[in-house]
Amino acid sequence: MTFDYDRGRTAPDRPAPTPPDVSRTPSVVQSLRTHAGAGGGVPFSVEFNPPRDAAGEARLWRAVREFERMHPAFVSMTYGAGGSTKDRTVRITGELAQETTLLPVAHLTAVGHSVAELRSLVGSYADSGIRNLLVLRGDPPGDPLGEWTKHPEGVEYAEELVRIVRDLGDFHVGVASFPQGHHRSPDLDHDTRYLAAKLRAGAEYSITQMFFDVEHYLRLRDRMAALDPVEATKPIIPELMPITSLRTVTRAEELCGRPLPAAVMARLRAAAGDGPEEDKAAVRAEGIEIATEMAQRLIDEGAPCLHFITLNFAKATSEVLTNLGYGVTAAPLSA
């Protein structure tokens, strides 16, 4: 692996450090091929969030060890809004690379950072042996739907950040895609052109924003195939999140930027019942069933991978995987 430390994070009073030898670290695309070939099925991957305190970090590591024995194709670690958890995120992502058998993907967001800071952050990941990055423009801190303001010395679009990372060294880059369109795009065609531009800039795959209607994912693939048949061959990985309570519906809507489909909400509300309190067990069972149905449809439609938002818990995702026939070797310990 090569890294241009002069353009990255080298301090002027010390020589450039030697990055670790990660020449055998696979890219996400290579890992997808390996995992698909090993079992003949569709690989899966999971997303973690940076913990805010020691208790949260302990919970995260319990989930990490539970997922490790399930052999995901890769795991991703999100990045706190505006870099609010930067140091902890970088450290833990490096520990995932160095202390587990998992393939970590580090999120890199442009919001709130200068180009120099972004290069320094890439250098920190390189020092830890990370060569897979998911490059995102990012949401404004505090209000994901608020006005996005470019850092005075930063970049405006994720496409620019893709080029910066690829220019820095031997990194493998993924980007975000939006089955229902990004909420700042005027229309779906405009949004699809932005995705194609990011892929042409050097991104090797995309991970979608979470959705609850598989048709949105299929239509995104169709739009990409019509716009750019070459770039459309790159994996578009669908992102899913099992709903485990009505409370998590709010979180899901925040993450996908849109209300859940009426049909999905009707099923969850029917499971909750008409009593004074939500039937939590029934809602959770219905949420697992909805996620299982979506995942099976995506498998049938040829999705290259299933990417699960876990919120740092393993049990719900493992139940969906078990329903689909994946070889989960032991029952997870966490909820």
Side-chain angles (χ1 to χ4, degrees):
M1 175 176 176
T2 59
F3 182 80
D4 187 348
Y5 280 86
D6 291 332
R7 300 183 61 190
R9 62 189 299 274
T10 301
D13 57 347
R14 63 181 175 86
T18 302
D21 179 11
V22 293
S23 59
R24 296 183 180 181
T25 302
S27 69
V28 164
V29 174
Q30 289 169 331
S31 185
L32 293 181
R33 291 171 181 160
T34 299
H35 281 73
V42 175
F44 80 96
S45 55
V46 297
E47 177 180 293
F48 299 125
N49 303 111
R52 297 185 180 278
D53 53 32
E57 187 166 341
R59 189 185 82 189
L60 165 67
W61 278 101
R62 287 195 297 271
V64 165
R65 293 307 181 187
E66 290 163 9
F67 279 116
E68 188 172 20
R69 64 189 180 213
M70 303 180 203
H71 308 294
F74 66 92
V75 300
S76 70
M77 175 64 73
T78 65
Y79 190 68
S84 59
T85 58
K86 182 182 73 171
D87 293 342
R88 190 185 296 266
T89 300
V90 172
R91 173 178 60 78
I92 293 176
T93 309
E95 289 171 355
L96 289 173
Q98 297 162 6
E99 300 176 16
T100 77
T101 59
L102 300 168
L103 176 66
V105 176
H107 287 214
L108 181 70
T109 61
V111 63
H113 290 305
S114 67
V115 170
E117 289 170 338
L118 290 166
R119 288 172 174 157
S120 175
L121 185 55
V122 173
S124 296
Y125 283 130
D127 286 345
S128 298
I130 305 293
R131 67 189 296 236
N132 287 285
L133 300 173
L134 187 70
V135 169
L136 311 160
R137 188 167 79 160
D139 294 321
D143 181 7
L145 301 181
E147 181 179 357
W148 199 92
T149 303
K150 171 188 172 183
H151 187 284
E153 299 174 358
V155 299
E156 182 71 30
Y157 298 109
E159 174 190 353
E160 300 171 73
L161 188 49
V162 171
R163 296 185 188 280
I164 288 172
V165 173
R166 292 303 301 265
D167 191 43
L168 282 172
D170 183 20
F171 295 97
H172 295 280
V173 177
V175 293
S177 51
F178 301 89
Q180 295 173 264
H182 192 281
H183 65 272
R184 293 187 179 86
S185 292
D187 54 56
L188 291 175
D189 289 339
H190 188 270
D191 189 79
T192 307
R193 288 196 293 273
Y194 271 113
L195 173 57
K198 291 186 287 188
L199 294 171
R200 291 170 189 149
E204 300 171 9
Y205 63 95
S206 73
I207 298 177
T208 73
Q209 186 180 52
M210 181 174 51
F211 58 90
F212 285 86
D213 185 341
V214 174
E215 288 298 322
H216 292 310
Y217 171 81
L218 300 178
R219 300 295 76 79
L220 169 61
R221 290 198 317 192
D222 291 344
R223 292 194 300 274
M224 271 301 304
L227 176 66
D228 192 325
V230 174
E231 298 300 330
T233 62
K234 294 179 178 179
I236 300 177
I237 300 172
E239 183 175 69
L240 306 170
M241 188 179 86
I243 298 292
T244 55
S245 70
L246 292 183
R247 185 179 64 179
T248 59
V249 169
T250 301
R251 178 59 173 156
E253 292 180 337
E254 289 175 352
L255 291 172
C256 64
R258 287 176 170 79
L260 269 63
V264 172
M265 282 306 306
R267 290 177 62 175
L268 294 171
R269 290 196 180 104
D274 299 326
E277 295 186 4
E278 167 191 346
D279 186 339
K280 295 183 179 180
V283 171
R284 188 182 187 283
E286 190 65 25
I288 298 295
E289 182 61 25
I290 290 169
T292 301
E293 292 170 5
M294 290 181 62
Q296 187 59 62
R297 173 99 190 271
L298 289 163
I299 291 171
D300 295 342
E301 294 285 356
C305 180
L306 302 174
H307 187 66
F308 290 92
I309 295 177
T310 69
L311 303 180
N312 296 352
F313 291 102
K315 188 175 181 181
T317 297
S318 73
E319 288 181 21
V320 174
L321 293 172
T322 298
N323 291 344
L324 296 168
Y326 285 71
V328 178
T329 58
L333 302 175
S334 58

